[in-house]
Amino acid sequence: MTLKLRNHIPECCWTLVVSLVIAIVCFIHLPENSGWDNSLPLNGHFHIPLMALGFLATLTIGFIVYTSCRNNQLHKNRLLYTSIALAIIQIAVIHSYYFYTDWDVQQVTGAAEAMARGESVDGFGWYFQDNPNNVFLARLFALVFFLTGTMWGSEPSLFPLLLLQCAGCWICGLMLFQTVFHISHKKSIAITVFLFYHILIASSPWWSIPYSDVWGLMALVTILWTATAAPIKRKTIRATLFAALSIMGFYIKPQTSLIGISYLLFYATRYRRHLLHLRRPIVNIAIAIATGIVAGWLFVHLATVGSSLHLNSSKSLGMTHYLMLGANQKNLGIYSDDDLDFSRSYDNKHERQKAQLNETIHRYKDMGVIGSLSLWGHKNVMNFSDGTFYWGHEGSFYKDIPPHKGSLSQLSRNVYYNRANEGTLYKTWATSQTAIWFGLLLLSALSLLACGDKGKHLLQIIMLTLVFATLFHTLFECRARYLFCFTPLFVILAAKGVDSIFSIIKPNRKY
């Protein structure tokens, strides 16, 4: 009994966490006039009806896929052509409504444009001293701006970068399909993942924002594909690439490292006896992982050569700053100017970290157990109650809006623009996206029933990753936007949840 329970720890943890999250989302509302309730669709109300509608909608999609896959072969060419058509539509729609935003994005893209022109980036030094984690991303953007603009004698332009993000979105959809089909050998599950991905993720306007959210998503999907479905026969080469990509993903968005940690933790506990005896295959894999870590680290650091921006800074806010933010009851764990000033008031890195930890402990002591639980509940409402993933609520957001570009532009802006520029169809879109998100969240809970199927190890690793992600954003600074890079994992679990339902109804089906 103990052995069986130990083998199902990821499922038990996932079941507990997702049950708590669903309960919190259903029954806890943000404090009235908190300043953050208006950032949620319908101000955080009607969650239970939205969950019911979303569950029925996503289950209906799964049923249509299930029935259509019964007597039909999988035509991969058709899927490829469909994905290309959807990518072209996405590019056209993004071109019709994209704009220039402020907050952190303008600092990263501004520095990247300056680097592409060969100009000084000293004017951005203050930002990257606080946030050196965005230096690697700025260098990647600078390369894109140089190759698509400066190298040809023209000014750097934003749209080629957005075009690259759309290409990444298209490739990620195909990689997810291949990953799921590789581990399950069921076309119905793979097609369901493909549809869910495009309904919730590829249709998201976040692909029009050049920042770590979409790049972190691309990094996470690539890591997952490399570990499972990539056409690499030698395990050592796969392990090396997996480790290198995980390190690069960390420097794009630190949360993406959670999937690498989950992989290592899962297999370390599964093969602990082999680890103790240092058998040759285990030693070879360990060497390959170490090699990949070094290669990834070198690649990231070499990418910053020739720039005055550095990956390490003594003035970095650090993880302890975001832990302190996460304990800010007044701001519900979201960005605070006062906390930023507090962290910047310390020049010494050691003193700053010590002060941040002391402030965090002091805040939790003042709140007590009940207050801390209440704060964590409200933070999870912020994290999980928004299918738009906090769209439009960073900074002033709509810094510079280009003129309309025809009827498609007018329609897309009516759908995606909010706040002062809110379109007539925005609330309809935001509500429907939140309902779909709730439906996928509920279906992902049912993936617990599929842990005895093929590919159960990947499901357990995904569950473990999402448990870590939920805990991370419960303790640290929170945003629904921060969950966006993990949405492909929720989509995989939701598709397996659909399959579990129909497997119970038709236990012998193989499609």
Side-chain angles (χ1 to χ4, degrees), residues 58 66 109 192 199 205 292 374 433 440 444 472-473 487 489:
T58 50
Y66 163 78
T109 56
T192 302
I199 291 170
S374 175
Q433 285 294 98
L440 294 179
S444 67
F472 182 90
H473 293 115
T487 48
L489 304 186

Side-chain angles (χ1 to χ4, degrees), residues 2 11 16 18 37 48 218 246 278 295 331 333 351 366 386 442:
T2 304
E11 298 99 294
L16 176 62
V18 78
D37 54 339
I48 293 177
M218 290 188 285
S246 296
L278 293 178
N331 282 55
E351 290 180 358
D366 283 350
D386 187 358
L442 286 168

Side-chain angles (χ1 to χ4, degrees), residues 153 177 207 233 331 372 395 438-439 442 446 494:
F177 175 88
W207 293 98
K233 293 183 179 180
N331 282 55
S372 299
F438 284 164
L442 286 168
L446 297 176

Side-chain angles (χ1 to χ4, degrees), residues 25-26 28-29 40-41 44-52 381 385 438:
V25 168
C26 284
I28 294 182
H29 299 294
L40 297 177
H45 299 291
F46 308 112
H47 285 171
I48 293 177
L50 280 179
M51 280 192 174
V381 171
S385 295
F438 284 164

Side-chain angles (χ1 to χ4, degrees), residues 79-80 82-87 90 165-175 194 197-198 207:
L79 183 82
L80 177 62
T82 301
S83 70
I84 293 173
L86 291 172
Q90 181 190 38
Q165 291 184 172
C166 291
C169 176
W170 168 61
I171 294 171
C172 283
L174 295 177
M175 286 196 293
F194 181 82
Y197 174 82
H198 282 86
W207 293 98

Side-chain angles (χ1 to χ4, degrees), residues 292-347:
I293 290 172
V294 173
W297 184 88
L298 284 174
F299 180 86
V300 170
H301 282 74
L302 288 173
T304 63
V305 172
S307 170
S308 60
L309 303 179
H310 301 288
L311 290 164
N312 298 308
S313 169
S314 60
K315 294 185 178 181
S316 170
L317 298 175
M319 293 302 294
T320 47
H321 170 77
Y322 299 101
L323 184 65
M324 181 180 70
L325 270 179
N328 189 324
Q329 189 176 31
K330 180 181 177 181
N331 282 55
L332 297 181
I334 298 181
Y335 173 84
S336 165
D337 284 326
D338 292 338
D339 283 357
L340 183 61
D341 293 338
F342 177 86
S343 293
R344 285 176 174 171
S345 66
Y346 293 87
D347 292 328

